[in-house]
Amino acid sequence: MATTNSKTPKSGIARRQFIFDVAKMACGVGMLGLGLGLYAKQAKALPALALRPPGALPESEFLGACIRCGLCVRDCPYDTLELAKLETPVATGTPYFTARNIPCEMCEDIPCVKACPTTALDHQLTDINNAKMGIAVLIDHETCLNFLGLRCDVCYRVCPVIDKAITLDIVPNQRTGRHAMFLPTVHSEHCTGCGKCEKSCVLEEAAIRILPPKLAKGELGHHYRLGWEEQKKAGHSLIDESKMIDLPDRLPEGARLPGHYDPASGHTETMRGLVGGDGGIIPGAPPGMGAKP
Amino acid sequence: MNGKRIGAEAIESKGWLRAHKWLILRRLSQLGILTLFLLGPLAGIWIVKGNLNYSYTLDFLPLTDPYVALQAAMTGHAPEKLGLIGIAIVLVFYLLVGGRVYCSWVCPVNLVTDAAGWLRDRLGIKGSVHFSRNTRYWILGMTLVGSTATGVVLWELINPVSMLHRGLIFGLGAAWTVVVAVFCFDLLVMSRGWCGRLCPVGAFYSLLGRWSPLRVSAPKRAACNDCMDCFEVCPEPQVIRPALKGEAKGIGPVILAANCTNCGRCIDVCSKEVFTFGLRFNNPTSTAKAE
């Protein structure tokens, strides 16, 4: 070993060798680290149809908290969860499920969360109805049987949070002109993303699918205010409606729009009767008959 | 082919069984642990749930891999209570028996690399690329820094140890390719390459067992006849020399190097019965008059 204060050629060579060795290591291992880092970045891109167990942290944090032990998989009574294999496009060894194969049965005691030895599955989650594994989206309006005017309703019927997470909203069937369509409508605040709707969709490829909230949800501009809600909060309109300039409604000559309120004159057209009644001149676009609870 | 197999003298003088005693015990330990893990998924007998990263035995005993937990901690995530208890138990255990006991008595990849080492010897494959034995510590450091930088438990993305163990229990998938790669690497590219130079899991455990009381010692080193079998059979041969040949320099007979895996193969293959398991404190500077 070179002595510290000598400047002999031998210690110089030793020092050079030492620096060279360190540089070699730093470079080689650095390259490995770079590769791993890039792989880690890829690993964070969870495929849209791979769902994490209930209570899972957001994906970016989940991969740091999960220690890949598989206890959640073991304690899932329905074999819903599996650990990602090397070839699965999910970070190796982490738990996930595919709703179309086996959906989450939303156990009341949430055994998967209880089994987790880390914070990867949030132990604060004690009511499974608060889980957010994803959000159901009726993604294909062209093939959904209810959108075709039929009464399939299967996704609505199997929903564990029926009439809250999925409702059937009734709108007129423009094709026939005389029937109603019962459109399955997801309400994100109640949907847990369990996937039973996707699993039971009768189509070859499900028309309703669970997507990560990030993909499924839009987001209003933070400065947006909904006038009708502000009005409700204030108890009156925030503006003087009598002074409001109302642009003319572009309707065909002589047409009346049932229920239309004209702020300038203060006149309200009379409401039409039920859908299919005789009040409408433009039967294709009556106000919807929503059936929200 | 070598003229003489490693340990041939020992088999002659001690008999086959005694010349393979620690090897057999070690294989029983490795396979026994694997069997315990496999009983659940294969036979429905749930004694142990989980895998080497974290396991829960009989709904009573949690065991957590401290290296994986450390990487998770580097990303800013602490385990829950059972996870923490599991870390404490594992830390205490390996602090006492030697960290790299994990490598030689528990780790399933050891079976793979030992097989590669054995075959390499049988086939007489010589020549090997060279990496420093310190490479593993650099990789260890990289995985810790990298976990912080990426927010991902970094080594778990490619760790062959957990891939093989988890694969056997939860379904192997394409992980066999990684296992074959490690086997071929040790067989053809670098002698004792994976466990001895690259694996950061072993590096972590070696640091953990740095001061462990349980050690292999060479109290009868005066009887050594320089047959070199212990050096040949040892996966970390550099650890033997100071203890075995340290008499003149006043170095005691206990193998103190952190990378000794306490596998006991040197004890097995020595026909002169130089080695034995002992405690690090029982380390006189001279053993010359120990007959």
Side-chain angles (χ1 to χ4, degrees):
Chain A
M1 198 169 285
T3 49
T4 46
N5 56 354
S6 77
K7 291 265 183 192
T8 61
K10 200 179 172 192
S11 79
I13 290 166
R15 192 186 308 120
R16 276 174 65 99
Q17 186 62 41
F18 173 76
I19 291 169
F20 177 67
D21 285 347
V22 168
K24 197 167 72 173
M25 277 293 173
C27 182
V29 175
M31 275 176 69
L32 175 66
L34 186 66
L36 261 182
L38 295 175
Y39 182 36
K41 194 164 162 265
Q42 292 295 313
K44 282 183 188 172
L46 186 69
L49 291 184
L51 304 175
R52 293 297 187 193
L57 295 177
E59 189 61 15
S60 56
E61 292 186 49
F62 186 81
L63 294 184
C66 173
I67 58 171
R68 285 81 163 152
C69 69
L71 265 280
C72 53
V73 174
R74 285 295 176 239
D75 282 9
C76 173
Y78 299 97
D79 291 336
T80 300
L81 296 170
E82 55 185 313
L83 288 187
K85 296 189 174 118
L86 184 60
E87 66 272 30
T88 319
V90 176
T92 310
T94 56
Y96 74 103
F97 71 100
T98 309
R100 192 67 166 161
N101 297 342
I102 310 179
C104 173
E105 294 288 338
M106 288 175 62
C107 310
E108 273 183 27
D109 53 344
I110 331 182
C112 50
V113 173
K114 280 189 183 154
C116 180
T118 70
T119 51
L121 302 185
D122 186 359
H123 288 241
Q124 308 291 329
L125 180 75
T126 48
D127 179 359
I128 189 66
N129 290 308
N130 294 331
K132 269 277 167 289
M133 294 168 270
I135 292 170
V137 179
L138 208 158
I139 207 160
D140 190 357
H141 294 186
E142 292 176 337
T143 52
C144 170
L145 295 182
N146 277 35
F147 267 82
L148 294 175
L150 307 172
R151 288 300 300 276
C152 162
D153 297 4
V154 168
C155 56
Y156 164 76
R157 297 277 166 214
V158 298
C159 178
V161 203
I162 185 170
D163 283 327
K164 282 187 187 160
I166 304 185
T167 57
L168 291 178
D169 288 7
I170 305 166
V171 300
N173 185 335
Q174 290 184 49
R175 180 173 59 79
T176 64
R178 64 188 70 233
H179 301 97
M181 298 198 294
F182 292 72
L183 304 185
T185 306
V186 178
H187 303 283
S188 61
E189 72 269 33
H190 294 296
C191 177
T192 63
C194 72
K196 295 207 79 167
C197 52
E198 180 178 340
K199 166 69 181 169
S200 52
C201 179
V202 301
L203 302 186
E204 287 289 317
E205 292 286 341
I208 189 165
R209 293 182 187 185
I210 311 298
L211 298 182
K214 207 170 148 52
L215 278 184
K217 287 287 289 173
E219 189 176 343
L220 287 173
H222 295 286
H223 60 290
Y224 283 24
R225 297 292 176 269
L226 302 177
W228 53 94
E229 286 190 354
E230 297 300 322
Q231 187 174 9
K232 215 184 285 171
K233 259 190 257 168
H236 56 81
S237 177
L238 300 183
I239 54 169
D240 183 358
E241 290 195 355
S242 67
K243 297 225 172 77
M244 202 169 95
I245 301 167
D246 191 31
L247 296 174
D249 296 311
R250 290 173 181 274
L251 290 176
E253 196 68 31
R256 294 182 306 117
L257 192 61
H260 179 248
Y261 168 67
D262 179 25
S265 63
H267 172 73
T268 307
E269 286 287 346
T270 47
M271 274 300 273
R272 191 169 52 167
L274 282 172
V275 177
D278 55 351
I281 288 172
I282 38 170
M289 296 277 291
K292 276 198 192 184
Chain B
M1 297 279 165
N2 295 346
K4 200 169 181 191
R5 304 283 334 281
I6 302 166
E9 275 178 60
I11 293 170
E12 222 166 89
S13 64
K14 300 197 287 190
W16 189 92
L17 203 61
R18 275 193 63 220
H20 291 85
K21 177 178 149 194
W22 291 106
L23 180 65
I24 293 166
L25 288 175
R26 212 154 56 79
R27 294 287 178 252
L28 286 177
S29 162
Q30 292 166 326
L31 296 173
I33 289 168
L34 204 52
T35 306
L36 281 178
F37 275 103
L38 284 170
L39 273 180
L42 294 186
I45 305 167
W46 291 103
I47 297 169
V48 187
K49 277 192 234 173
N51 56 44
L52 285 180
N53 286 3
Y54 173 82
S55 64
Y56 200 34
T57 304
L58 296 171
D59 287 335
F60 170 70
L61 174 71
L63 296 171
T64 314
D65 183 307
Y67 174 48
V68 176
L70 179 61
Q71 289 175 78
M74 295 301 282
T75 73
H77 293 93
E80 288 284 324
K81 192 176 83 190
L82 278 178
L84 287 171
I85 296 171
I87 294 173
I89 295 171
V90 172
L91 283 181
V92 169
F93 179 75
Y94 287 110
L95 280 172
L96 291 177
V97 302
R100 293 209 62 197
V101 162
Y102 176 84
C103 302
S104 56
W105 292 77
V106 178
C107 179
V109 171
N110 177 270
L111 290 161
V112 177
T113 56
D114 270 0
W118 177 84
L119 192 60
R120 191 181 169 89
D121 180 53
R122 288 308 292 263
L123 297 178
I125 298 173
K126 299 289 172 199
S128 158
V129 297
H130 180 75
F131 282 156
S132 159
R133 288 195 179 268
N134 286 330
T135 310
R136 51 188 149 192
Y137 295 106
W138 284 80
I139 295 177
L140 173 63
M142 179 272 288
T143 60
L144 297 179
V145 174
S147 292
T148 306
T150 60
V152 174
V153 179
L154 199 62
W155 191 246
E156 282 309 292
L157 290 175
I158 57 165
N159 186 0
V161 176
S162 54
M163 264 191 211
L164 175 58
H165 193 255
R166 187 172 50 232
L168 290 172
I169 298 164
F170 288 89
L172 196 56
W176 66 268
T177 56
V178 176
V179 178
V180 169
V182 168
F183 180 82
C184 292
F185 180 75
D186 265 27
L187 178 66
L188 302 168
V189 182
M190 187 186 291
S191 170
R192 297 285 175 187
W194 183 260
C195 303
R197 291 157 209 273
L198 299 180
C199 179
V201 182
F204 175 87
Y205 277 97
S206 79
L207 296 177
L208 181 53
R210 188 74 192 78
W211 308 107
S212 72
L214 182 67
R215 295 269 117 188
V216 174
S217 179
K220 290 196 209 158
R221 58 187 174 182
C224 174
N225 64 353
D226 292 328
C227 73
M228 301 301 282
D229 276 359
C230 56
F231 287 101
E232 289 286 329
V233 84
C234 180
E236 304 274 352
Q238 79 282 5
V239 307
I240 297 178
R241 179 168 297 278
L244 187 61
K245 299 295 171 192
E247 179 74 34
K249 294 177 196 158
I251 299 171
V254 175
I255 296 177
L256 292 172
N259 273 311
C260 171
T261 67
N262 279 359
C263 71
R265 278 298 279 151
C266 53
I267 304 174
D268 281 350
V269 300
C270 183
S271 59
K272 303 293 176 194
E273 314 212 24
V274 166
F275 298 97
T276 179
F277 274 113
L279 296 174
R280 74 180 306 128
F281 318 109
N282 188 11
N283 196 17
T285 51
S286 174
T287 51
K289 54 189 183 302
E291 273 305 292

